[in-house]
Amino acid sequence: MSSIIQLLPDHVANQIAAGEVVQRPASVVKELLENAVDAKATDIKLIIKDAGKALVQVIDNGLGMSVTDARLCFERHATSKIRHAEDLFSLHTKGFRGEALASIAAIAHVEMKTKQDQEELGVHIIIEGSKFVSQEVAVLPKGTSFAVKNLFFNIPARRNFLKSDTVEYRHVVDEFQRVALAHPKIHFTFYHNGSEMFNLPPATLRQRIVTIFSGKTNEKLIPVQEETEIVAIQGFVSKPEFAKKNRGEQFFFVNDRFIKSGYLHHAVMAAYDGILKDGAQPSYFLNLSVPPNTIDINIHPTKTEIKFDDEQALYAILRASIKHGLGQFNVAPVLDFDRDSNLDTPYHYKDLQGATPTIQVDGNFNPFSDDKPNKHFSNYKKPESTANWESLYVGLKQDADDIAHITFENEEMTSSLFNDEEIEHSVHKTYQIHKKYIVSSIKSGMVIVDQQRAHQRVLYEQFLVNMTVHQASSQQLLFPLNLFFSSSEMELIQDLQVSLKNTGFVFEENNTDHIVISGIPVNVTESEVSLVLEQLLGDLQDGIPESSFSQSDTIAKSMAKSLAVKTGTHLTEKEQENLVNGLFACKDPNVSPFYKPTFITMRVEDLDKKFAL
């Protein structure tokens, strides 16, 4: 019987490996940027076209490679970082598996130029789908330039799975920001389709954060610093009042490598316990330095997850250090048992000097004299005579009889205006149960409405009609609102601006880090504007739909979710009736915008069966 197991050809094995390493253009950006950092570069340029689908190029001034190394780096499992298995637990660099460049070269056109400082000439290599096309000697500056073109050109199925340019660009920006935040001492520049998107000169971590996210970032940062035998923590967290609905600005770095850790995130949230609103997420930029032999970074293909030796101790230290940082800046409540709060000086009087009291004496005052006191020294007023107090009640009985007569006449008039049938209709038509459900009687029994889902459906259809028919009405603000956002969020708002105008928003001006809003939709209050936009940006973090209808649908759903009446809100009888009537006036009242049922019905027969048991 012939054998059925055979070795895969190298180009097939590389394409399979590429499935783990290269998922989208952002994966190529991550690998190339980390290679440039490992090469000790001080200036790194990232150039992309069409969100990285057409071109991803990284140019650095690092160490460069020799001719032999330039050829070997595209072989599988070729790396300069590891010699023995024990080296896996003493890594200080990023790339170490030796599969990234081989995987990238298997699914794209790669052009590499590299030269070492001590060499006079460099090498220029072109590879297409794992095949070496050419290798030439060239005059080049010190460093390396990697150009990856036509990603997934030989795997059309994988290319079809890529999202729109807007989505892929967002992922590229995320990877760029992670590397740039981890290495603030390196100069990074980022170009997209010929336009400069970021120019980040060498700076401190705080300056790098402010440069990337702009807006009011500097005002919201609280430093966190702690050093122990287990871990050294350095970075910043945000003040509670700047917390957002989404988790966009949350970064953990371990030994200058970006990671994701739900366990460490829980430690941060525990430090904020009691000082955050429900559902709010703080921003944090925390770099943890731990001994390399106490972590295992080889448990995930993308190396974004790490296994720690002593997670419990790390959790406790991180939580305590953040609490300490918040306490230092009087953000978190601090107990001081030696202080008597009753003796505290009010804030407005803290820096004021006590005024010297003055005494004035009226030398002419005679207590036995009938003359009035000097008005400069007293506000004394002689009381009026009350000898004729009985005159105050003259005619009072007659007035009371007149008022009673008028009251009886009004009651008779009221009873004649409304007949018995109309009085029946004044009885409650709806009832609210547990501030969550609205019960209303119908001919066959009763209907039970979920107030939150029902209001979501009503608002969703209203916003959708406004955006498609372009007849939204706005309410002008007396004082325009200035709302600050990060650079990436400002790009999203720019893309959404036409749709937002159709919902009723009026934008007075747009700047690089903030927008000015002078008008808002009629069913949005001024205090809700920032919450609505934050919720919308959070819902669109994974990308904006390309078609205008899909974009309008997404915005309508997000705004309906933000503005709908929440479970636990008391509604008056009129509000209950309006909500029920509005729901059944919708085109599709049966489900919410998120395809959850909005109401259920119970027939009288069903109730009879319950009582028949």
PDB file of all heavy atoms in Angstrom, residues 218-245:
ATOM      1  N   ASN A 218      -3.485  65.990  27.460  1.00  0.00           N
ATOM      2  CA  ASN A 218      -2.531  66.368  28.498  1.00  0.00           C
ATOM      3  C   ASN A 218      -3.224  66.652  29.828  1.00  0.00           C
ATOM      4  O   ASN A 218      -2.670  66.398  30.898  1.00  0.00           O
ATOM      5  CB  ASN A 218      -1.724  67.581  28.041  1.00  0.00           C
ATOM      6  CG  ASN A 218      -0.550  67.866  28.945  1.00  0.00           C
ATOM      7  OD1 ASN A 218       0.173  66.952  29.343  1.00  0.00           O
ATOM      8  ND2 ASN A 218      -0.348  69.118  29.298  1.00  0.00           N
ATOM      9  N   GLU A 219      -4.442  67.186  29.770  1.00  0.00           N
ATOM     10  CA  GLU A 219      -5.155  67.540  30.999  1.00  0.00           C
ATOM     11  C   GLU A 219      -5.644  66.308  31.760  1.00  0.00           C
ATOM     12  O   GLU A 219      -5.840  66.366  32.974  1.00  0.00           O
ATOM     13  CB  GLU A 219      -6.358  68.421  30.662  1.00  0.00           C
ATOM     14  CG  GLU A 219      -5.999  69.748  30.005  1.00  0.00           C
ATOM     15  CD  GLU A 219      -7.240  70.551  29.663  1.00  0.00           C
ATOM     16  OE1 GLU A 219      -8.292  70.270  30.260  1.00  0.00           O
ATOM     17  OE2 GLU A 219      -7.155  71.438  28.798  1.00  0.00           O
ATOM     18  N   LYS A 220      -5.858  65.217  31.065  1.00  0.00           N
ATOM     19  CA  LYS A 220      -6.497  64.068  31.710  1.00  0.00           C
ATOM     20  C   LYS A 220      -5.506  63.027  32.214  1.00  0.00           C
ATOM     21  O   LYS A 220      -5.902  62.038  32.814  1.00  0.00           O
ATOM     22  CB  LYS A 220      -7.473  63.398  30.742  1.00  0.00           C
ATOM     23  CG  LYS A 220      -6.816  62.683  29.570  1.00  0.00           C
ATOM     24  CD  LYS A 220      -7.883  62.071  28.664  1.00  0.00           C
ATOM     25  CE  LYS A 220      -7.269  61.299  27.520  1.00  0.00           C
ATOM     26  NZ  LYS A 220      -8.300  60.745  26.621  1.00  0.00           N
ATOM     27  N   LEU A 221      -4.201  63.208  31.988  1.00  0.00           N
ATOM     28  CA  LEU A 221      -3.224  62.185  32.345  1.00  0.00           C
ATOM     29  C   LEU A 221      -2.777  62.310  33.799  1.00  0.00           C
ATOM     30  O   LEU A 221      -2.459  63.400  34.279  1.00  0.00           O
ATOM     31  CB  LEU A 221      -2.000  62.271  31.428  1.00  0.00           C
ATOM     32  CG  LEU A 221      -2.241  61.976  29.944  1.00  0.00           C
ATOM     33  CD1 LEU A 221      -0.948  62.117  29.164  1.00  0.00           C
ATOM     34  CD2 LEU A 221      -2.827  60.592  29.750  1.00  0.00           C
ATOM     35  N   ILE A 222      -2.746  61.174  34.482  1.00  0.00           N
ATOM     36  CA  ILE A 222      -2.228  61.085  35.845  1.00  0.00           C
ATOM     37  C   ILE A 222      -1.062  60.096  35.833  1.00  0.00           C
ATOM     38  O   ILE A 222      -1.229  58.951  35.416  1.00  0.00           O
ATOM     39  CB  ILE A 222      -3.315  60.592  36.821  1.00  0.00           C
ATOM     40  CG1 ILE A 222      -4.443  61.611  36.912  1.00  0.00           C
ATOM     41  CG2 ILE A 222      -2.735  60.319  38.191  1.00  0.00           C
ATOM     42  CD1 ILE A 222      -5.597  61.152  37.770  1.00  0.00           C
ATOM     43  N   PRO A 223       0.128  60.508  36.251  1.00  0.00           N
ATOM     44  CA  PRO A 223       1.278  59.589  36.200  1.00  0.00           C
ATOM     45  C   PRO A 223       1.155  58.456  37.208  1.00  0.00           C
ATOM     46  O   PRO A 223       0.641  58.633  38.315  1.00  0.00           O
ATOM     47  CB  PRO A 223       2.472  60.503  36.526  1.00  0.00           C
ATOM     48  CG  PRO A 223       1.887  61.661  37.255  1.00  0.00           C
ATOM     49  CD  PRO A 223       0.492  61.853  36.743  1.00  0.00           C
ATOM     50  N   VAL A 224       1.627  57.292  36.802  1.00  0.00           N
ATOM     51  CA  VAL A 224       1.672  56.105  37.659  1.00  0.00           C
ATOM     52  C   VAL A 224       3.088  55.560  37.607  1.00  0.00           C
ATOM     53  O   VAL A 224       3.621  55.295  36.522  1.00  0.00           O
ATOM     54  CB  VAL A 224       0.670  55.033  37.193  1.00  0.00           C
ATOM     55  CG1 VAL A 224       0.819  53.767  38.025  1.00  0.00           C
ATOM     56  CG2 VAL A 224      -0.750  55.549  37.266  1.00  0.00           C
ATOM     57  N   GLN A 225       3.699  55.398  38.773  1.00  0.00           N
ATOM     58  CA  GLN A 225       5.079  54.921  38.813  1.00  0.00           C
ATOM     59  C   GLN A 225       5.273  54.065  40.061  1.00  0.00           C
ATOM     60  O   GLN A 225       4.908  54.458  41.168  1.00  0.00           O
ATOM     61  CB  GLN A 225       6.055  56.099  38.816  1.00  0.00           C
ATOM     62  CG  GLN A 225       7.495  55.679  38.546  1.00  0.00           C
ATOM     63  CD  GLN A 225       8.357  56.870  38.160  1.00  0.00           C
ATOM     64  OE1 GLN A 225       7.895  58.000  38.170  1.00  0.00           O
ATOM     65  NE2 GLN A 225       9.607  56.620  37.816  1.00  0.00           N
ATOM     66  N   GLU A 226       5.824  52.888  39.854  1.00  0.00           N
ATOM     67  CA  GLU A 226       6.073  51.961  40.951  1.00  0.00           C
ATOM     68  C   GLU A 226       7.203  51.024  40.548  1.00  0.00           C
ATOM     69  O   GLU A 226       7.297  50.604  39.395  1.00  0.00           O
ATOM     70  CB  GLU A 226       4.811  51.156  41.274  1.00  0.00           C
ATOM     71  CG  GLU A 226       4.891  50.363  42.561  1.00  0.00           C
ATOM     72  CD  GLU A 226       4.970  51.247  43.791  1.00  0.00           C
ATOM     73  OE1 GLU A 226       4.180  52.210  43.889  1.00  0.00           O
ATOM     74  OE2 GLU A 226       5.844  50.982  44.644  1.00  0.00           O
ATOM     75  N   GLU A 227       8.058  50.707  41.511  1.00  0.00           N
ATOM     76  CA  GLU A 227       9.175  49.803  41.209  1.00  0.00           C
ATOM     77  C   GLU A 227       9.320  48.794  42.338  1.00  0.00           C
ATOM     78  O   GLU A 227       9.496  49.158  43.499  1.00  0.00           O
ATOM     79  CB  GLU A 227      10.473  50.596  41.037  1.00  0.00           C
ATOM     80  CG  GLU A 227      11.608  49.744  40.494  1.00  0.00           C
ATOM     81  CD  GLU A 227      12.750  50.574  39.932  1.00  0.00           C
ATOM     82  OE1 GLU A 227      12.586  51.809  39.828  1.00  0.00           O
ATOM     83  OE2 GLU A 227      13.788  49.979  39.608  1.00  0.00           O
ATOM     84  N   THR A 228       9.213  47.517  41.975  1.00  0.00           N
ATOM     85  CA  THR A 228       9.368  46.422  42.927  1.00  0.00           C
ATOM     86  C   THR A 228      10.289  45.376  42.325  1.00  0.00           C
ATOM     87  O   THR A 228      10.751  45.508  41.186  1.00  0.00           O
ATOM     88  CB  THR A 228       8.008  45.782  43.255  1.00  0.00           C
ATOM     89  OG1 THR A 228       7.489  45.151  42.075  1.00  0.00           O
ATOM     90  CG2 THR A 228       7.001  46.822  43.740  1.00  0.00           C
ATOM     91  N   GLU A 229      10.544  44.326  43.100  1.00  0.00           N
ATOM     92  CA  GLU A 229      11.379  43.247  42.577  1.00  0.00           C
ATOM     93  C   GLU A 229      10.670  42.466  41.490  1.00  0.00           C
ATOM     94  O   GLU A 229      11.314  41.866  40.622  1.00  0.00           O
ATOM     95  CB  GLU A 229      11.765  42.295  43.722  1.00  0.00           C
ATOM     96  CG  GLU A 229      12.652  42.930  44.777  1.00  0.00           C
ATOM     97  CD  GLU A 229      12.998  41.950  45.881  1.00  0.00           C
ATOM     98  OE1 GLU A 229      12.480  40.820  45.855  1.00  0.00           O
ATOM     99  OE2 GLU A 229      13.787  42.329  46.771  1.00  0.00           O
ATOM    100  N   ILE A 230       9.356  42.468  41.513  1.00  0.00           N
ATOM    101  CA  ILE A 230       8.587  41.682  40.541  1.00  0.00           C
ATOM    102  C   ILE A 230       8.376  42.456  39.247  1.00  0.00           C
ATOM    103  O   ILE A 230       8.519  41.910  38.150  1.00  0.00           O
ATOM    104  CB  ILE A 230       7.228  41.286  41.144  1.00  0.00           C
ATOM    105  CG1 ILE A 230       7.441  40.425  42.379  1.00  0.00           C
ATOM    106  CG2 ILE A 230       6.361  40.564  40.113  1.00  0.00           C
ATOM    107  CD1 ILE A 230       6.170  40.082  43.114  1.00  0.00           C
ATOM    108  N   VAL A 231       8.050  43.741  39.361  1.00  0.00           N
ATOM    109  CA  VAL A 231       7.712  44.530  38.184  1.00  0.00           C
ATOM    110  C   VAL A 231       8.004  46.005  38.447  1.00  0.00           C
ATOM    111  O   VAL A 231       7.919  46.472  39.587  1.00  0.00           O
ATOM    112  CB  VAL A 231       6.218  44.342  37.813  1.00  0.00           C
ATOM    113  CG1 VAL A 231       5.321  44.788  38.957  1.00  0.00           C
ATOM    114  CG2 VAL A 231       5.858  45.063  36.529  1.00  0.00           C
ATOM    115  N   ALA A 232       8.363  46.714  37.387  1.00  0.00           N
ATOM    116  CA  ALA A 232       8.488  48.171  37.424  1.00  0.00           C
ATOM    117  C   ALA A 232       7.412  48.742  36.516  1.00  0.00           C
ATOM    118  O   ALA A 232       7.347  48.393  35.325  1.00  0.00           O
ATOM    119  CB  ALA A 232       9.872  48.607  36.964  1.00  0.00           C
ATOM    120  N   ILE A 233       6.559  49.581  37.070  1.00  0.00           N
ATOM    121  CA  ILE A 233       5.421  50.137  36.326  1.00  0.00           C
ATOM    122  C   ILE A 233       5.654  51.615  36.089  1.00  0.00           C
ATOM    123  O   ILE A 233       6.001  52.359  37.003  1.00  0.00           O
ATOM    124  CB  ILE A 233       4.103  49.929  37.099  1.00  0.00           C
ATOM    125  CG1 ILE A 233       3.870  48.442  37.362  1.00  0.00           C
ATOM    126  CG2 ILE A 233       2.926  50.522  36.328  1.00  0.00           C
ATOM    127  CD1 ILE A 233       2.694  48.172  38.269  1.00  0.00           C
ATOM    128  N   GLN A 234       5.455  52.028  34.855  1.00  0.00           N
ATOM    129  CA  GLN A 234       5.593  53.438  34.505  1.00  0.00           C
ATOM    130  C   GLN A 234       4.576  53.760  33.416  1.00  0.00           C
ATOM    131  O   GLN A 234       4.414  52.999  32.461  1.00  0.00           O
ATOM    132  CB  GLN A 234       7.001  53.755  34.013  1.00  0.00           C
ATOM    133  CG  GLN A 234       7.250  55.245  33.831  1.00  0.00           C
ATOM    134  CD  GLN A 234       8.709  55.538  33.521  1.00  0.00           C
ATOM    135  OE1 GLN A 234       9.476  54.627  33.247  1.00  0.00           O
ATOM    136  NE2 GLN A 234       9.085  56.804  33.552  1.00  0.00           N
ATOM    137  N   GLY A 235       3.890  54.872  33.555  1.00  0.00           N
ATOM    138  CA  GLY A 235       2.919  55.253  32.545  1.00  0.00           C
ATOM    139  C   GLY A 235       1.912  56.241  33.082  1.00  0.00           C
ATOM    140  O   GLY A 235       2.183  56.976  34.048  1.00  0.00           O
ATOM    141  N   PHE A 236       0.739  56.248  32.472  1.00  0.00           N
ATOM    142  CA  PHE A 236      -0.288  57.228  32.812  1.00  0.00           C
ATOM    143  C   PHE A 236      -1.666  56.575  32.756  1.00  0.00           C
ATOM    144  O   PHE A 236      -1.905  55.661  31.966  1.00  0.00           O
ATOM    145  CB  PHE A 236      -0.256  58.414  31.839  1.00  0.00           C
ATOM    146  CG  PHE A 236       1.033  59.179  31.844  1.00  0.00           C
ATOM    147  CD1 PHE A 236       2.075  58.827  30.999  1.00  0.00           C
ATOM    148  CD2 PHE A 236       1.213  60.245  32.712  1.00  0.00           C
ATOM    149  CE1 PHE A 236       3.263  59.526  31.005  1.00  0.00           C
ATOM    150  CE2 PHE A 236       2.403  60.948  32.728  1.00  0.00           C
ATOM    151  CZ  PHE A 236       3.427  60.588  31.882  1.00  0.00           C
ATOM    152  N   VAL A 237      -2.543  57.070  33.609  1.00  0.00           N
ATOM    153  CA  VAL A 237      -3.966  56.723  33.540  1.00  0.00           C
ATOM    154  C   VAL A 237      -4.750  58.017  33.452  1.00  0.00           C
ATOM    155  O   VAL A 237      -4.215  59.105  33.718  1.00  0.00           O
ATOM    156  CB  VAL A 237      -4.416  55.900  34.778  1.00  0.00           C
ATOM    157  CG1 VAL A 237      -3.706  54.564  34.822  1.00  0.00           C
ATOM    158  CG2 VAL A 237      -4.187  56.691  36.067  1.00  0.00           C
ATOM    159  N   SER A 238      -6.016  57.925  33.068  1.00  0.00           N
ATOM    160  CA  SER A 238      -6.816  59.133  32.883  1.00  0.00           C
ATOM    161  C   SER A 238      -7.647  59.432  34.120  1.00  0.00           C
ATOM    162  O   SER A 238      -7.959  58.549  34.916  1.00  0.00           O
ATOM    163  CB  SER A 238      -7.736  58.978  31.670  1.00  0.00           C
ATOM    164  OG  SER A 238      -8.722  58.010  31.922  1.00  0.00           O
ATOM    165  N   LYS A 239      -8.026  60.683  34.259  1.00  0.00           N
ATOM    166  CA  LYS A 239      -8.920  61.090  35.333  1.00  0.00           C
ATOM    167  C   LYS A 239     -10.316  60.529  35.065  1.00  0.00           C
ATOM    168  O   LYS A 239     -10.719  60.383  33.908  1.00  0.00           O
ATOM    169  CB  LYS A 239      -8.967  62.616  35.418  1.00  0.00           C
ATOM    170  CG  LYS A 239      -7.626  63.243  35.779  1.00  0.00           C
ATOM    171  CD  LYS A 239      -7.713  64.752  35.774  1.00  0.00           C
ATOM    172  CE  LYS A 239      -6.344  65.377  36.088  1.00  0.00           C
ATOM    173  NZ  LYS A 239      -6.381  66.848  36.020  1.00  0.00           N
ATOM    174  N   PRO A 240     -11.054  60.218  36.114  1.00  0.00           N
ATOM    175  CA  PRO A 240     -12.372  59.590  35.926  1.00  0.00           C
ATOM    176  C   PRO A 240     -13.332  60.409  35.070  1.00  0.00           C
ATOM    177  O   PRO A 240     -14.128  59.838  34.330  1.00  0.00           O
ATOM    178  CB  PRO A 240     -12.898  59.443  37.356  1.00  0.00           C
ATOM    179  CG  PRO A 240     -11.687  59.439  38.216  1.00  0.00           C
ATOM    180  CD  PRO A 240     -10.695  60.329  37.535  1.00  0.00           C
ATOM    181  N   GLU A 241     -13.253  61.741  35.152  1.00  0.00           N
ATOM    182  CA  GLU A 241     -14.222  62.545  34.405  1.00  0.00           C
ATOM    183  C   GLU A 241     -13.988  62.477  32.902  1.00  0.00           C
ATOM    184  O   GLU A 241     -14.853  62.874  32.109  1.00  0.00           O
ATOM    185  CB  GLU A 241     -14.185  64.017  34.864  1.00  0.00           C
ATOM    186  CG  GLU A 241     -12.851  64.713  34.691  1.00  0.00           C
ATOM    187  CD  GLU A 241     -12.000  64.658  35.948  1.00  0.00           C
ATOM    188  OE1 GLU A 241     -12.154  63.696  36.725  1.00  0.00           O
ATOM    189  OE2 GLU A 241     -11.191  65.580  36.145  1.00  0.00           O
ATOM    190  N   PHE A 242     -12.826  61.957  32.469  1.00  0.00           N
ATOM    191  CA  PHE A 242     -12.539  61.832  31.042  1.00  0.00           C
ATOM    192  C   PHE A 242     -12.785  60.410  30.522  1.00  0.00           C
ATOM    193  O   PHE A 242     -12.404  60.096  29.397  1.00  0.00           O
ATOM    194  CB  PHE A 242     -11.087  62.227  30.750  1.00  0.00           C
ATOM    195  CG  PHE A 242     -10.805  63.693  30.923  1.00  0.00           C
ATOM    196  CD1 PHE A 242     -10.279  64.183  32.107  1.00  0.00           C
ATOM    197  CD2 PHE A 242     -11.093  64.589  29.905  1.00  0.00           C
ATOM    198  CE1 PHE A 242     -10.016  65.530  32.279  1.00  0.00           C
ATOM    199  CE2 PHE A 242     -10.837  65.941  30.060  1.00  0.00           C
ATOM    200  CZ  PHE A 242     -10.294  66.416  31.246  1.00  0.00           C
ATOM    201  N   ALA A 243     -13.377  59.558  31.336  1.00  0.00           N
ATOM    202  CA  ALA A 243     -13.651  58.184  30.915  1.00  0.00           C
ATOM    203  C   ALA A 243     -14.655  58.182  29.761  1.00  0.00           C
ATOM    204  O   ALA A 243     -15.534  59.038  29.674  1.00  0.00           O
ATOM    205  CB  ALA A 243     -14.188  57.370  32.091  1.00  0.00           C
ATOM    206  N   LYS A 244     -14.509  57.184  28.870  1.00  0.00           N
ATOM    207  CA  LYS A 244     -15.353  57.097  27.684  1.00  0.00           C
ATOM    208  C   LYS A 244     -16.141  55.793  27.703  1.00  0.00           C
ATOM    209  O   LYS A 244     -15.921  54.921  28.538  1.00  0.00           O
ATOM    210  CB  LYS A 244     -14.500  57.170  26.412  1.00  0.00           C
ATOM    211  CG  LYS A 244     -13.735  58.475  26.257  1.00  0.00           C
ATOM    212  CD  LYS A 244     -12.979  58.494  24.953  1.00  0.00           C
ATOM    213  CE  LYS A 244     -12.270  59.827  24.741  1.00  0.00           C
ATOM    214  NZ  LYS A 244     -11.547  59.876  23.457  1.00  0.00           N
ATOM    215  N   LYS A 245     -17.025  55.671  26.725  1.00  0.00           N
ATOM    216  CA  LYS A 245     -17.826  54.458  26.610  1.00  0.00           C
ATOM    217  C   LYS A 245     -17.036  53.330  25.944  1.00  0.00           C
ATOM    218  O   LYS A 245     -17.297  52.153  26.182  1.00  0.00           O
ATOM    219  CB  LYS A 245     -19.095  54.734  25.782  1.00  0.00           C
ATOM    220  CG  LYS A 245     -20.103  55.619  26.482  1.00  0.00           C
ATOM    221  CD  LYS A 245     -20.780  54.883  27.618  1.00  0.00           C
ATOM    222  CE  LYS A 245     -21.870  55.733  28.248  1.00  0.00           C
ATOM    223  NZ  LYS A 245     -22.504  55.042  29.388  1.00  0.00           N
TER     224      LYS A 245
END
